[in-house]
Amino acid sequence: MKTLQYIFLIYVSVGCFLSSCSKFLDVNPNTGEQISVRNFVDFEEVLNSRDFASHNMIIAEFLTDNIYFHPDSVARMPSDYSLRNAYLWNESIWNNNDTDELYRALYKNIAQANLVINYLDFALDGTAEGKRRLIAKAKIHRAYANFMLVNLYGPQFNAASAESDLAVPLITILDANQLPPRATVKQLYDLIERDLQDAMATAELPDKGKDVLHPGKVCAYALSAKVQLQKGAYEQALDYANKALAINSFLIDYNPFLMEYESYVFLLFQMEGYQEVIFAKAGQEFNFFQTTGLNIYMPEDLLSIYTENDLRLFAHYGQNYDTWEYIYPIVAAPDGSSSAVRFNNAITVPEMMLIAAECNARDGKVEEAMALINKLRFKRMLEDTHEDLEAASPEEALKHVLDERRRELSFKGGIRLMDIKRLANDPVNRTVLNRYDGEGNVTKSIEPNSRQLIIPLTPRALVFNPNLRD
C-alpha cells in the first residue's frame, strides 16, 4: 500500500511540477504531455528525452572573443536585443520579459534527473540492477547540467572563495513551491563530483551507453576531466581524461570525412555515426538570424592561429562569398522555412586529448603533451601537408595546447568562456577581451575575471524568486 501511495504521489507531483513548473526558477519543463511514471520503462522514457542533448548556448559565445561583428552590423541590431547586449558586455543584458532558454533547459534536465534519482525505487517493476544503472545515468545528466550552470552563471571556481561565492540554486527535489537561494560554487561542485563518483562506482553502468545520447562510464570520466580541469586539479583531470580515452580514442581523419560529408556534424541524428563523440550535445539558435539577418564572423585573432592547410577552416566554418571572411554556419531547415545558427556542443575524444595534453604540459612532460596535439593535428591537416609542432619548454608546449583548444573547440558548448575565466589568473595565458570599431581601434575592454562574463539571471527569475538576488 505504501508503494502505491508513493506511485500516486509521483504521478501527481510530476504532472504538477513538469506542467505548471517552478516559478522560483522561471523554468517550465513542460514536455507537452502529462507524465505518468509507474513502471520502470516510464522512468527510462524520462531519460530518453532529446532535451538532455539540446542546449542553445549561443549567449555564452557572444560574451567571448570567438566572434566578431562589423560595427555597422552591431548598429543594425535592436538596441534592447539580449545578444547585442551580451556582445557589448552591457551592464544589463535582459529585458523585463526576456526568457533565458538555456537556463530553463538546464533546470528542466535537472528536474527530469531528480525524478529518476528520487523516485525510481518506487516503480512497480524493474530489477535492482536496472534501477542502479538508470540512476547512474540520471546522475551524469544532473552533473552535466549543474556543471554548465555553475560555470556560465557563476564565478570561476576559486578554492579560497568557493565556499562563499554564490552561483545558482542547487535543486535535488521536485517541489514547485520552493524558493531556493543561490548555492555556493563549492556546494554545486560538491554535488557534481558526488554524482559523477556515484555513477563511476556503479557496476551496472556499462563503459558506453547504447548510443551517444545515453551516458555510460566514459561520459562520467570525460565530464570529470572537464570538472577537474576547470578547478585547476590537473593531476585528477589527466587521470579522468586518460580513463575516457582508454574507452574511446577514435579520431576522424578530416580528409576522407570532408569528401563524404562536405561539412561539420551539427545535428544530433548525425552524431551517432560520428565516432569521436563521447557525449552528444547540440544546439541551434533560430532567433538571431530572424531578428538581425546578420552573419557571425570569425575574429582576426582566431583566424591568425590557423594555417591554410587546416581543414577545420572548411569543416567548422562557412564563408561570406562577397568578402571571403569566415563565418559561423547558418543552415536553412530542410523545408526552407527557417534558418538557424547550429553548433556542436558534444564532449569528444579531441577534447579529452587536449585536456591530457594541457595537464602533461603543466607537469613538465613536454614530449607527452606535444605527441597528443600532433596526433590530433595529423587528422586535421590537408593530406601530406602536416608538420609536427615542436616545443622547447613546458611553457611553449602549454601555449601550443591552448592555441589548439581554440582551433578545435571554437563555438562549442561555452568552452571558450570557461577557458577565459579559468585562465584569468595566469599571467602568461590570460586574455583581455576587446571590441573594435571599423578602423580596428579598441572601443571596449574587459578583464577575464570581470563579472560581465557571468551570464546574469533574467528580471523574470528575480521577480518570481527574490531569494535569487545577490
Side-chain angles (χ1 to χ4, degrees), residues 21-90:
C21 212
S22 157
K23 288 187 176 181
F24 63 80
L25 292 169
D26 183 31
V27 175
N28 184 0
N30 182 17
T31 61
E33 299 177 359
Q34 191 167 19
I35 301 173
S36 171
V37 281
R38 302 169 184 269
N39 299 311
F40 181 81
V41 67
D42 301 324
F43 286 92
E44 280 190 312
E45 282 304 305
V46 172
L47 296 191
N48 281 342
S49 172
R50 293 167 61 91
D51 294 338
F52 285 106
S54 302
H55 303 110
N56 177 1
M57 297 188 189
I58 196 168
I59 191 167
E61 299 301 327
F62 269 61
L63 292 170
T64 74
D65 54 356
N66 268 350
I67 65 173
Y68 170 75
F69 290 103
H70 299 288
D72 60 334
S73 296
V74 176
R76 287 169 52 192
M77 298 182 194
S79 60
D80 61 350
Y81 185 34
S82 59
L83 291 180
R84 175 185 183 274
N85 292 332
Y87 178 75
L88 295 175
W89 306 308
N90 287 340

Side-chain angles (χ1 to χ4, degrees), residues 160 376 405 452:
L376 171 60
R405 279 183 70 85
Q452 298 307 115

Side-chain angles (χ1 to χ4, degrees), residues 188-204:
L188 285 153
Y189 266 88
D190 284 350
L191 178 60
I192 292 164
E193 293 181 68
R194 190 162 60 246
D195 277 348
L196 292 173
Q197 288 293 333
D198 288 349
M200 290 183 285
T202 301
E204 292 80 10

Side-chain angles (χ1 to χ4, degrees), residues 63 88-91 151-152 154-156 417 420-422 424-425 430-433 444-456:
L63 292 170
L88 295 175
W89 306 308
N90 287 340
E91 192 67 31
N151 281 291
L152 299 182
Q156 165 60 23
L417 179 58
I420 290 168
K421 291 166 73 171
R422 73 181 175 89
N425 294 322
R430 71 195 307 268
T431 300
V432 175
L433 302 175
K444 190 170 187 179
S445 295
I446 62 169
E447 294 293 319
N449 56 1
S450 169
R451 288 195 62 83
Q452 298 307 115
L453 297 180
I454 299 174
I455 303 174

Side-chain angles (χ1 to χ4, degrees), residues 343-396:
F343 33 96
N344 177 336
N345 297 326
I347 301 175
T348 62
V349 168
E351 184 179 0
M352 292 302 103
M353 295 176 66
L354 290 164
I355 289 175
E358 179 174 342
C359 296
N360 278 315
R362 291 182 180 279
D363 194 32
K365 297 175 181 176
V366 173
E367 216 173 287
E368 291 89 338
M370 298 307 297
L372 282 163
I373 64 170
N374 282 320
K375 181 179 179 179
L376 171 60
R377 288 172 57 80
F378 181 77
K379 299 288 188 176
R380 297 300 190 252
M381 299 298 123
L382 185 65
E383 194 169 16
D384 299 326
T385 67
H386 168 74
E387 293 182 3
D388 280 354
L389 297 178
E390 297 180 352
S393 66
E395 294 77 17
E396 188 178 358

Side-chain angles (χ1 to χ4, degrees), residues 76-290:
R76 287 169 52 192
M77 298 182 194
S79 60
D80 61 350
Y81 185 34
S82 59
L83 291 180
R84 175 185 183 274
N85 292 332
Y87 178 75
L88 295 175
W89 306 308
N90 287 340
E91 192 67 31
S92 177
I93 288 180
W94 306 107
N95 293 315
N96 287 338
N97 294 320
D98 280 343
T99 297
D100 184 347
E101 295 298 340
L102 173 59
Y103 180 81
R104 289 163 61 96
L106 290 168
Y107 272 111
K108 176 179 177 179
N109 295 161
I110 289 172
Q112 293 164 311
N114 285 340
L115 170 63
V116 174
I117 293 165
N118 295 334
Y119 295 105
L120 179 56
D121 280 344
F122 302 107
L124 296 176
D125 60 2
T127 65
E129 293 79 6
K131 290 178 180 179
R132 286 193 291 269
R133 181 177 64 252
L134 202 61
I135 287 172
K137 293 179 180 180
K139 287 186 174 182
I140 294 172
H141 284 306
R142 185 168 71 178
Y144 177 85
N146 276 318
F147 178 68
M148 299 312 299
L149 284 163
V150 70
N151 281 291
L152 299 182
Y153 296 87
Q156 165 60 23
F157 180 91
N158 181 333
S161 59
E163 290 189 8
S164 57
D165 289 336
L166 297 179
V168 294
L170 188 156
I171 308 297
T172 59
I173 60 174
L174 290 178
D175 181 359
N177 297 312
Q178 62 179 318
L179 295 173
R182 295 174 186 257
T184 67
V185 170
K186 184 178 187 302
Q187 288 172 324
L188 285 153
Y189 266 88
D190 284 350
L191 178 60
I192 292 164
E193 293 181 68
R194 190 162 60 246
D195 277 348
L196 292 173
Q197 288 293 333
D198 288 349
M200 290 183 285
T202 301
E204 292 80 10
L205 184 68
D207 283 350
K208 292 184 177 181
K210 66 180 182 181
D211 54 44
V212 293
L213 291 173
H214 294 81
K217 277 195 174 74
V218 66
C219 298
Y221 293 141
L223 184 51
S224 293
K226 288 170 67 74
V227 170
Q228 298 305 322
L229 181 74
Q230 202 66 29
K231 290 178 66 177
Y234 301 115
E235 184 178 350
Q236 294 93 324
L238 175 61
D239 180 54
Y240 286 125
N242 284 337
K243 286 179 177 177
L245 291 169
I247 297 172
N248 183 4
S249 60
F250 188 91
L251 277 178
I252 290 175
D253 186 339
Y254 270 26
N255 284 277
F257 171 76
L258 288 180
M259 292 293 293
E260 181 177 355
Y261 290 97
E262 297 183 355
S263 69
Y264 194 37
V265 170
F266 294 100
L267 302 177
L268 287 177
F269 79 87
Q270 297 171 310
M271 290 186 185
E272 180 54 34
Y274 196 66
Q275 293 170 271
E276 286 184 352
V277 170
I278 291 174
F279 203 7
K281 307 287 178 183
Q284 50 188 347
E285 159 65 28
F286 289 97
N287 182 261
F288 174 76
F289 192 71
Q290 293 169 357

